[in-house]
Structure formats: C-alpha cells, structure tokens
Amino acid sequence: MIAGRKRKAKAAAAAAAAAAAAAGGAPASEDRQARSLVTPEGVDLKLRLGEAGERATALLIDLAIMVGVLVGFSLLTLLAFLGSKGKGGEVIATIWMLAFFVLRNLYFILFELTPGAATPGKRAMGLRVAARNGGRLTADAIFARNAMREIELYLPMGFLIANNGQVGAWISLAGLVWCGVFLLFPLFNRDRLRVGDLVAGTWVVKTPTRKLVPDLVQSSRPSHGRFAFTQAHLDAYGVKELHVLEDVLRRYETKTIALVAARIRQKIGWKAAPDESDGDFLAAYYAALRGRLESRLLLGKRRKDKHDKG
C-alpha cells in the first residue's frame, strides 16, 4: 500500500511537471532547490532547500545575537565586579566563562530542539532543519550536526585568534584554508549540506506553506476566513482520514458531502453556522488538517489514523 502511494505521488509530480511544461513554464525538475520527499504514508512534502545566501544570512543573524548577548552579560559581570569592590573576581570570571560556554555550545542545539527546529536566524529567513529520510528529527542528529560546527568554524577561528601572530604565515594560511573548505562546503554539493548535515543526516529547508489542491479549491470554493480550527479539532483525525476526505471532495456527491460533514462536526464538536455550507466546511477542514499533518510529518511525527495517539 505504501509503495502504491509512493508511485501515485511520483506520478502526480511527473504530471505536474508535464503540465507546467505544456503551459510554457519551467518544469519542476528544473528547480534545483526543489526536493521530492515521499513519506511512508505516501504524502509528498515537496521540500525546497534553503539557498546558500539565506543560510549565510541566518548564521550571521545568530552570531550577531550571540555576540550581543555575550556583550550584555559581560557588562553585567563587569558591574558586579565593580560593585563587589574587586572581591570575588574569580567567581565572577567563572560565571562569565560558564555563560560563554553555554552560549557557544548550546545556542544552536537548544533552539533546534524546539518544535520549530530553527534558531532565530533561521526563523527570520524562513528556514528550518529537517531529517533527510523524512523521519523524526532526533536529538542525536541535532547534537551531531552542531558538534561538527566546533571543527568547521570555532576550532580554526579560535586557533588563529588565540595565537595573535605567534605562528608562522604557513600555519595561518592552513587555518584559513581549513575554515574556507568547511564554510564553502555547501556550495559544492547538490543538497547544500554542511559537513554537520552530512554526518547527522539532516538538511536545511524552507519552512513549508501548504495550499489546498487547486482543483479542490475550484470545486468547493471554501471561505477559509470563516473557519478557525483549533489544534484539538485537527488532532481528531490522521493521514488515513485525510485521504478519505480528499476522495470525498474530489467526487463531490451531495449526499456523501452532507453525511461526512455531519460526522466530522459531531466528532470535533463543531457547531455549524446557519449559512454554513457542508462543502465549504469540508474543504476548509481538509486544508487545515493537511497543513497540520504535513507540519508534523516534517518533524517525523506520523499519525496514521484517528486511533493513533502518536
């Protein structure tokens, strides 16, 4: 069944590419940043990789935040030192070193462990970290990709700064080449992977914004602004019910639409407005449910059906 859904997803992607070519547009295969990631449930996430410029900008934003926090904390420790009239200097210095260690080593890890899987810099650029195999983004993968940053960036840069010209020109050049190789590594592979991404099995993608399938929009013309579904409403169903609902909307048989709409309203506790159309309700719920499930799938959280509590 899973294999059949994968074949269907791939066939749909090929059909979309052919339609785009027939319309005079560039086929999807020409988009070098687009990736087709079919999950075991047969849902094609259609990811788009982050551009090198976007990732570099995100990194600069994060580094600026880190420097700002460090400067602010340094000022606080300086004021504490002056306030203590020079006493407890070793304790204050230890606290500063501890804060620097946490900021340097845990900033990226803690933010990427959040549900958004993104640092403030990545969020500003519309990026996030995802597992390349479509599975769950694990803590091990996040630790691995960020541990490599020590080798890629911090270690060589720290070496060059700490020696203050006490090393020869050739060693300094070797350090710069080391930095350059790791910093430019994403430019020389198809998926724009850092060495850390390569080791951890991750990649940085654009945060997906999913839209309702165009033919379903045309058939039902939902007024999405009227429907505000809560997380509890959307957690009532899973991928299996999503596929069933899609089939119902494609066939659009009036009696079936009314029956399914009544059943879903009862299941989620939705009170219909006097002028609420069953078709509009189902189309809006389909769009919201699909967006919710695909967002969870990107994190590796699969809910097969309404009985699955995962």
Side-chain angles (χ1 to χ4, degrees):
M1 182 179 293
I2 291 175
R5 288 177 179 172
K6 287 185 177 181
R7 285 195 295 271
K8 288 182 180 179
K10 291 178 180 178
S29 59
E30 291 184 3
D31 187 350
R32 296 182 179 180
Q33 300 302 104
R35 296 292 183 273
S36 180
L37 183 62
V38 180
T39 68
E41 291 83 6
V43 178
D44 188 353
L45 296 181
K46 292 185 174 63
L47 301 178
R48 190 172 185 280
L49 300 180
E51 299 280 356
E54 293 172 333
R55 295 186 64 176
T57 302
L59 178 60
L60 290 176
I61 292 173
D62 288 324
L63 291 177
I65 293 173
M66 293 172 67
V67 170
V69 171
L70 187 60
V71 169
F73 190 77
S74 299
L75 292 175
L76 288 177
T77 55
L78 178 60
L79 291 175
F81 179 75
L82 295 176
S84 65
K85 297 180 180 180
K87 297 179 181 179
E90 292 183 359
V91 175
I92 294 173
T94 301
I95 293 174
W96 185 92
M97 290 296 294
L98 180 61
F100 175 72
F101 174 83
V102 170
L103 187 64
R104 170 176 166 169
N105 293 280
L106 298 183
Y107 174 89
F108 290 94
I109 292 174
L110 293 178
F111 276 115
E112 290 177 3
L113 282 173
T114 61
T119 61
K122 288 186 178 69
R123 288 195 184 97
M125 301 306 297
L127 303 173
R128 61 167 296 138
V129 180
R132 294 204 305 273
N133 63 1
R136 183 186 297 274
L137 181 61
T138 64
D140 290 342
I142 293 173
F143 275 102
R145 76 184 302 273
N146 286 292
M148 289 301 299
R149 187 175 282 108
E150 185 72 25
I151 299 175
E152 296 173 7
L153 181 62
Y154 295 147
L155 184 63
M157 290 298 293
F159 171 78
L160 293 175
I161 294 172
N163 283 276
N164 293 321
Q166 297 178 11
V167 297
W170 286 108
I171 298 180
S172 297
L173 179 61
L176 290 174
V177 171
W178 178 289
C179 290
V181 168
F182 285 109
L183 288 175
L184 298 178
F185 187 83
L187 299 179
F188 297 98
N189 63 86
R190 181 175 177 268
D191 291 333
R192 298 292 185 263
L193 303 178
R194 278 179 43 222
V195 174
D197 290 317
L198 199 62
V199 170
T202 58
W203 51 13
V204 177
V205 300
K206 294 290 290 183
T207 303
T209 54
R210 315 306 294 180
K211 295 183 179 180
L212 190 61
V213 180
D215 56 343
L216 292 184
V217 175
Q218 293 171 4
S219 63
S220 57
R221 296 185 177 87
S223 302
H224 298 295
R226 296 178 51 194
F227 303 94
F229 298 108
T230 65
Q231 181 175 323
H233 290 152
L234 300 176
D235 284 344
Y237 293 105
V239 174
K240 180 180 178 181
E241 290 79 20
L242 178 71
H243 289 310
V244 173
L245 182 54
E246 181 174 344
D247 289 338
V248 169
L249 286 170
R250 289 188 185 282
R251 295 176 184 176
Y252 213 87
E253 298 173 355
T254 305
K255 291 183 179 179
T256 305
I257 288 287
L259 179 63
V260 172
R263 188 170 298 173
I264 291 178
R265 288 190 183 107
Q266 182 180 7
K267 172 73 174 179
I268 67 176
W270 181 269
K271 185 176 181 181
D275 60 342
E276 181 176 294
S277 164
D278 291 335
D280 285 356
F281 168 76
L282 287 185
Y285 189 77
Y286 169 85
L289 178 61
R290 177 171 175 169
R292 168 71 175 163
L293 291 175
E294 289 182 346
S295 175
R296 288 170 61 84
L297 282 170
L298 194 57
L299 293 172
K301 299 177 181 177
R302 302 181 179 88
R303 189 164 191 225
K304 298 178 181 178
D305 54 38
K306 60 186 178 181
H307 304 294
D308 184 0
K309 303 302 181 182

